[in-house]
Amino acid sequence: MTMRRRTISVAAKAGVAALLLLVLELIVNRAEVLLPLAMLGWLIALAALRPAVIRHRQPRIALVAAMLAIAAYADQPNLLAFCLFLTATGLAATLPRRRFDDAASWAVRLGRLALAAVVGPWRDRRRLAHIRAHRLHPRVTVTAVAAALIVPLGGALLFLILFATANPLIARALDSMILPDIRTVIWRTAFALAVLLPVWATLRPAAGATRWQAPGGQTVPPLLRPGTLILSLATFNAVFAIQNGLDLVFLWSGAALPDGVTMADYAHQGAYALIVTALLAAVFVLTMLSPGSPSAAHPPIRWLVTAWIGQNVLLVASSALRLIDYVDAYGLTPLRLAALIWMALVATGLMLILWRLLGRRSAAWLINANALALTLVLAACSVVDLSAVAADWNARVALAKGRSGPPLDLAYFARLGPGALVPLAMLERHAGLPRLHDRIAYTRYWMQTGMEEGQSSWNGWSPRNARRLVAAKALLADRGSGAAPPARRLTGAQQP
């Protein structure tokens, strides 16, 4: 590439970055719903100014992933979808320079790309300065222009101040001028940097961001001799067998507990501590038994590790059952649902560790398999509203079990936000007691009114909330709900 082509490329990328900044400056305080358009413009600029992104298969996959993240964000703006978009865009920008090997290495490279973004514009300042070679007056520089303007502008400002002291009309005109607030200037400057730095980092990624290479060969050498490992694994299996045996007898089979111990005490405690135990066990296996090591090839050790990982999976399943019992007693929340998802990921990781050991897979395979599982879960969570899932579950359980189920806390439904509108409408439709019906209707009415107010403004509209309003109105269409606010308000937890 010639110097002329390079300088034109730098100028084009600088112009596109400035245009994206201008668009975002215009919409940032007006319509979050328009932000996906700017995100899409970023991807289009990346593909147009760096053709290698669309020539190779792996960057194209990353571009598609970024577009899916934009679609999830457009349906309902959320931080998780935006972070997935940034990750996919960073991969699309850097994959043309280096093929994907393992997720851990690329996590480091994306981190290096983010750090390099801070100094990226300064790194390219010399190339930007070379644009003057394509102007009519090649010797005219930014420094020369600034030096030529400082005297006339400074002198004019000085004279204007002097005239203002002598002429009240000029003084009044100057007083009427509205200067930007210093906080606004700081906010706009910080916003401009937050936009320009990542955009510039993807349009002109630093070469050093992709040079990092994970240590090759065996990641962690075995620290224990086979005899010590066999004794350790046998002891660990015995200890875990005690815990799992108690869970099988009392938690899974429902046998009577000893006097003084309730099922609430047994089932509703210790779920997270057991997950930490399983994670520590996974770290031990990864540290002490690297594939290809003599210890990993030792038959008794392999059988003991297989049994221990199986016990850890059972431990995670028991932890999930404890949490499910807690949900049955007290209801579902987004955090409890997230905890169940996390437990499923831990169990998946344990099974992948066993698969790696028995199948003699590489460390890169294990990292990529876990990264893929995590990515799929995060992508699903960016699309699915966990608050809506929790509200729907609580509403359906309340309708099915009545007073025998967990308490129905409508105040908590209100705190769950727009995702609880349709479940509230479902409860209102099927509530039998007039007093309870009015209290549910009160909560539903004010939530629906707030959503309709937000949806009536084009810059507060979202497709998902529009669908929720349509579904809620359809559930209550034959009841004429929504014409006026109900007279009663919910106080406390009730059952339908």
Side-chain angles (χ1 to χ4, degrees):
M1 183 183 292
T2 65
M3 178 61 69
R4 179 182 177 85
R5 290 178 60 190
R6 287 180 180 177
T7 53
I8 293 176
S9 174
V10 173
K13 292 172 182 177
V16 168
L19 179 61
L20 284 173
L21 174 61
L22 177 61
V23 171
L24 284 170
E25 286 280 3
L26 292 175
I27 70 174
V28 65
N29 289 329
R30 294 172 177 84
E32 192 176 22
V33 72
L34 294 181
L35 184 56
L37 297 179
M39 297 159 67
L40 183 60
W42 184 355
L43 291 185
I44 294 173
L46 178 61
L49 296 177
R50 298 190 59 214
V53 171
I54 56 177
R55 279 202 304 264
H56 303 289
R57 183 175 63 89
Q58 289 187 347
R60 286 200 304 268
I61 294 174
L63 278 180
V64 172
M67 292 179 188
L68 293 176
I70 292 175
Y73 189 91
D75 186 50
Q76 185 67 42
N78 62 89
L79 180 61
L80 179 56
F82 187 72
C83 291
L84 290 174
F85 164 77
L86 290 179
T87 302
T89 305
L91 286 172
T94 50
L95 279 170
R97 295 185 173 179
R98 190 187 189 100
R99 292 184 60 83
F100 190 91
D101 42 17
D102 67 83
S105 299
W106 273 96
V108 175
R109 292 178 187 127
L110 289 178
R112 290 166 64 94
L113 179 67
L115 293 175
V118 179
V119 297
W122 302 104
R123 178 199 66 199
D124 294 322
R125 68 187 185 279
R126 292 183 179 178
R127 292 185 179 180
L128 289 173
H130 288 169
I131 297 176
R132 68 180 186 274
H134 303 286
R135 297 174 178 170
L136 294 177
H137 304 285
R139 295 185 179 181
V140 176
T141 64
V142 175
T143 304
V145 171
L149 293 178
I150 190 170
V151 173
L153 291 180
L157 180 60
L158 176 61
F159 290 135
L160 192 60
I161 293 173
L162 293 174
F163 288 150
T165 61
N167 190 325
L169 296 178
I170 297 178
R172 183 178 301 178
L174 292 178
D175 291 338
S176 65
M177 295 176 60
I178 301 176
L179 298 177
D181 182 68
I182 185 62
R183 288 175 295 182
T184 303
V185 173
I186 295 175
W187 150 246
R188 290 293 187 179
T189 303
F191 178 77
L193 290 175
V195 172
L196 285 175
L197 293 181
V199 169
W200 193 254
T202 56
L203 295 181
R204 289 186 55 76
T210 56
R211 289 176 184 168
W212 188 87
Q213 180 66 36
Q218 188 171 314
T219 55
V220 181
L223 303 179
L224 299 176
R225 295 180 179 179
T228 308
L229 274 176
I230 290 175
L231 181 60
S232 300
L233 290 170
T235 305
F236 296 160
N237 271 293
V239 173
F240 273 60
I242 295 174
Q243 173 64 42
N244 285 324
L246 292 173
D247 283 343
L248 289 173
V249 171
F250 298 112
L251 189 64
W252 292 90
S253 68
L257 289 165
D259 294 337
V261 180
T262 66
M263 180 53 70
D265 295 331
Y266 190 84
H268 300 163
Q269 297 177 7
Y272 299 104
L274 295 179
I275 288 295
V276 173
T277 303
L279 290 173
L280 290 175
V283 170
F284 178 87
V285 172
L286 289 174
T287 303
M288 303 302 174
L289 296 166
S290 300
S293 65
S295 298
H298 205 284
I301 292 178
R302 290 168 65 86
W303 283 109
L304 285 170
V305 168
T306 301
W308 195 31
I309 292 179
Q311 289 210 73
N312 275 279
V313 173
L314 179 58
L315 197 68
V316 174
S318 298
S319 301
L321 183 59
R322 289 169 185 258
L323 187 54
I324 290 172
D325 287 342
Y326 193 87
V327 168
D328 285 338
Y330 299 103
L332 185 63
T333 67
L335 286 179
R336 291 167 192 166
L337 182 57
L340 287 172
I341 296 172
W342 165 245
M343 291 176 184
L345 273 175
V346 172
T348 301
L350 289 168
M351 296 303 297
L352 289 172
I353 291 173
L354 181 61
W355 191 355
R356 176 209 181 191
L357 184 65
L358 298 180
R360 292 181 170 83
R361 301 281 185 172
S362 65
W365 177 89
L366 179 63
I367 292 171
N368 289 341
N370 278 281
L372 177 61
L374 178 62
T375 301
L376 292 176
V377 168
L378 292 178
C381 290
S382 70
V383 176
V384 177
D385 188 346
L386 298 186
S387 296
V389 174
D392 184 74
W393 188 93
N394 290 329
R396 293 183 183 278
V397 170
L399 291 174
K401 295 185 177 181
R403 293 185 180 276
S404 63
L408 182 64
D409 188 351
L410 294 187
Y412 181 70
F413 270 73
R415 291 197 299 271
L416 287 177
L421 177 64
V422 176
L424 281 172
M426 182 172 59
L427 284 172
E428 181 181 349
R429 180 178 179 84
H430 295 94
L433 298 176
R435 184 168 177 268
L436 177 59
H437 176 274
D438 288 346
R439 291 177 173 178
I440 296 173
Y442 183 92
T443 306
R444 188 274 311 161
Y445 174 84
W446 288 112
M447 180 179 292
Q448 180 175 328
T449 301
M451 290 177 61
E452 287 175 341
E453 182 179 352
Q455 291 293 103
S456 64
S457 173
W458 69 273
N459 59 351
W461 183 88
S462 74
R464 185 173 298 182
N465 284 343
R467 295 195 300 270
R468 286 167 174 161
L469 285 170
V470 171
K473 291 177 181 178
L475 279 171
L476 303 173
D478 58 340
R479 305 220 169 181
S481 299
R488 296 180 178 178
R489 181 176 182 177
L490 175 71
T491 55
Q494 300 289 338
Q495 295 290 351

